[in-house]
Amino acid sequence: RVWETMRDALLLALHAPSLDDLRSALDWAERNDRNLVIALAGSSWPLWRELPVRAEGRRRLSAAVSLLNPDTPQALEAHLRRGLGELYCTTAAVKDARQEFERAVALFPALNDTQNLGSAIAAFGYASLMLGNIPEAQASIDEALQMVERARRPRALAAAWSVKFCVEARLKSPVS
């Protein structure tokens, strides 16, 4: 949550040095505690995304997804799937990103977590936009903006509005 309000440079200065510790913790947890791997991976995606180690982050989060089972707490799965979607979103695997966001969006309502639900819906809308599904992107971003505005999460709000502007620009484009 701190990454929502902290400047990028400060965020990276504070957290980049802990990347090796995160790697060690994930490695240890893989051998000892399945849910801990899922929790660490699901909460660490902003760091993987902001540092030049996105491919490693995708591998780590994908490995954590393979550990999911019916007993996995929904909150852990929701955050993990959203994080993996974020790491796939700006790659050729945007279809995979959309699927991960869709799964997260299905899980967050049961958790009463409208803040993360709004962010996940906005990200789903962005992936839909990248796949050319403009009506789905528009409906998603309109729904997400209502939730994200109430949550007062600056990064999530900025991301949602940027998707909204992209959707509107695409609607006005003669190529649509």
Side-chain angles (χ1 to χ4, degrees):
R1 179 126 160 105
V2 70
W3 70 274
E4 276 286 341
T5 57
M6 193 177 287
R7 289 190 342 253
D8 290 345
L10 182 57
L11 177 77
L12 293 176
L14 286 174
H15 296 287
S18 64
L19 185 58
D20 286 335
D21 292 339
L22 174 60
R23 288 176 174 131
S24 295
L26 285 166
D27 292 343
W28 180 89
E30 282 177 7
R31 296 185 302 274
N32 296 289
D33 188 337
R34 169 187 304 245
N35 282 342
L36 183 57
V37 172
I38 295 166
L40 286 170
S43 64
S44 66
W45 66 265
L47 187 60
W48 298 111
R49 186 185 67 188
E50 297 304 321
L51 294 173
V53 289
R54 286 184 185 190
E56 180 184 358
R58 284 189 296 275
R59 284 191 306 276
R60 297 272 189 173
L61 271 67
S62 291
V65 165
S66 73
L67 299 175
L68 293 171
N69 64 49
D71 296 329
T72 301
Q74 284 186 329
L76 296 182
E77 182 177 356
H79 289 285
L80 177 62
R81 293 210 180 267
R82 178 184 171 208
L84 186 55
E86 292 284 350
L87 294 175
Y88 278 145
C89 207
T90 57
T91 71
V94 71
K95 283 184 182 179
D96 294 329
R98 187 188 169 283
Q99 287 178 332
E100 295 300 332
F101 292 136
E102 186 171 35
R103 290 179 183 133
V105 166
L107 292 166
F108 279 123
L111 303 172
N112 249 355
D113 188 347
T114 56
Q115 293 179 358
N116 282 304
L117 175 60
S119 294
I121 292 172
F124 175 83
Y126 176 75
S128 298
L129 175 66
M130 294 297 97
L131 292 169
N133 190 335
I134 308 308
E136 183 176 72
Q138 185 176 27
S140 296
I141 199 59
D142 289 342
E143 180 183 0
L145 273 170
Q146 293 174 20
M147 291 180 207
V148 174
E149 286 175 342
R150 283 193 305 267
R152 297 184 182 158
R153 296 173 79 176
R155 285 182 190 264
L157 186 56
W161 273 107
S162 69
V163 174
K164 174 80 171 170
F165 291 134
C166 290
V167 167
E168 290 185 2
R170 187 75 183 271
L171 286 170
K172 292 176 185 174
S173 169
V175 180
S176 295

